[in-house]
Amino acid sequence: MSLQAIFFDHDGTLVDTEPVWAAAKAELAAEHGGVWTEQDTLDCLGLSMKFTLDRLRERGVDLPDSEMNDALVAKVHSALATQSVEFLPGIAPLLEQIARADIPAAVVTNATTAIAQRTANAAPAGVFRAVIGNEQTTHPKPDPQPYLLAAQKLDVDPALCVAIEDSPSGVRSASAAGMRVIVVPGELQVPDELGDARFKHEELSVEAISALIP
């Protein structure tokens, strides 16, 4: 057996746009007379957009989910429009390795599909063959649906795939989908019993990832 595909979470794994999201949430809350704290940001990491919207409502943003989502995403898009995509250390060389090895890859995230697609577009041509974001799923991480959908899109066996994650909910999602999971450092501590291997971003390689598949 050999590795059939590699799946990446988005924020904290490929890039770090979380500060932009945090600033947008704080700005939106302030516009409605509320306060968004650093703890709010931490509480929402790796969870669904619905969870974030509910928290924003608790912080005073009295808008329907669709309007709140659009307002938040618009702020993030505006902030990112003047920035180039900056991959986390070690990720750009890894993506080059994946391109040379012609291994299918996908981005699997609870976050906004369009922003994840922007990141995918910055990778070497042909690396990311699918992007699964909040628009594609009905049951976000930690449910296995996002990863199962990604495997279906790439027509691969989840048991022969490796996911790279940085949050407890993401690791639980990929593991429940039957994948091997590499945990990289993130904002949240992932319990020791979760995941199959741990690497720093800079230590990732096609060889190390492939070694997880017997």
Side-chain angles (χ1 to χ4, degrees), residues 101-176:
D102 195 29
I103 299 171
V107 182
V108 184
T109 177
N110 280 345
T112 308
T113 304
I115 291 175
Q117 186 65 60
R118 173 181 178 270
T119 299
N121 292 344
V127 168
F128 288 116
R129 305 182 192 183
V131 173
I132 305 299
N134 68 325
E135 295 175 13
Q136 284 69 42
T137 59
T138 55
H139 296 78
K141 304 174 189 177
D143 192 275
Q145 187 197 47
Y147 279 105
L148 291 173
L149 180 57
Q152 181 182 356
K153 290 280 187 183
L154 297 189
D155 192 24
V156 293
D157 180 355
L160 299 178
C161 299
V162 173
I164 302 174
E165 275 282 358
D166 75 315
S167 73
S169 67
V171 176
R172 289 188 174 98
S173 173
S175 295

Side-chain angles (χ1 to χ4, degrees), residues 3-156:
L3 177 68
Q4 290 189 352
I6 303 171
F7 297 103
F8 291 85
D9 175 51
H10 186 245
D11 257 305
T13 301
L14 290 169
V15 295
D16 182 16
T17 61
E18 189 53 52
V20 178
W21 281 99
K25 294 166 192 174
E27 182 179 342
L28 184 59
E31 288 172 358
H32 291 261
V35 176
W36 182 269
T37 68
E38 183 178 350
Q39 188 60 51
D40 289 323
T41 293
L42 291 173
D43 289 346
C44 293
L45 285 177
L47 299 178
S48 67
M49 182 63 79
K50 173 64 174 170
F51 188 93
T52 294
L53 298 180
D54 287 344
R55 180 62 65 89
L56 279 165
R57 187 168 291 109
E58 291 174 7
R59 298 297 176 261
V61 184
D62 187 18
L63 295 172
D65 279 1
S66 60
E67 291 183 31
M68 195 188 312
N69 181 79
D70 290 349
L72 182 61
V73 171
K75 290 180 182 298
V76 173
H77 272 293
S78 177
L80 293 177
T82 59
Q83 304 177 20
S84 60
V85 173
E86 292 188 16
F87 291 106
L88 288 167
I91 293 300
L94 173 62
L95 297 178
E96 294 285 355
Q97 286 186 33
I98 293 171
R100 290 194 297 270
D102 195 29
I103 299 171
V107 182
V108 184
T109 177
N110 280 345
T112 308
T113 304
I115 291 175
Q117 186 65 60
R118 173 181 178 270
T119 299
N121 292 344
V127 168
F128 288 116
R129 305 182 192 183
V131 173
I132 305 299
N134 68 325
E135 295 175 13
Q136 284 69 42
T137 59
T138 55
H139 296 78
K141 304 174 189 177
D143 192 275
Q145 187 197 47
Y147 279 105
L148 291 173
L149 180 57
Q152 181 182 356
K153 290 280 187 183
L154 297 189
D155 192 24
V156 293

Side-chain angles (χ1 to χ4, degrees), residues 172-189:
R172 289 188 174 98
S173 173
S175 295
M179 298 181 182
R180 301 298 178 93
V181 186
I182 292 175
V183 180
V184 293
E187 292 288 336
L188 296 178
Q189 181 70 32

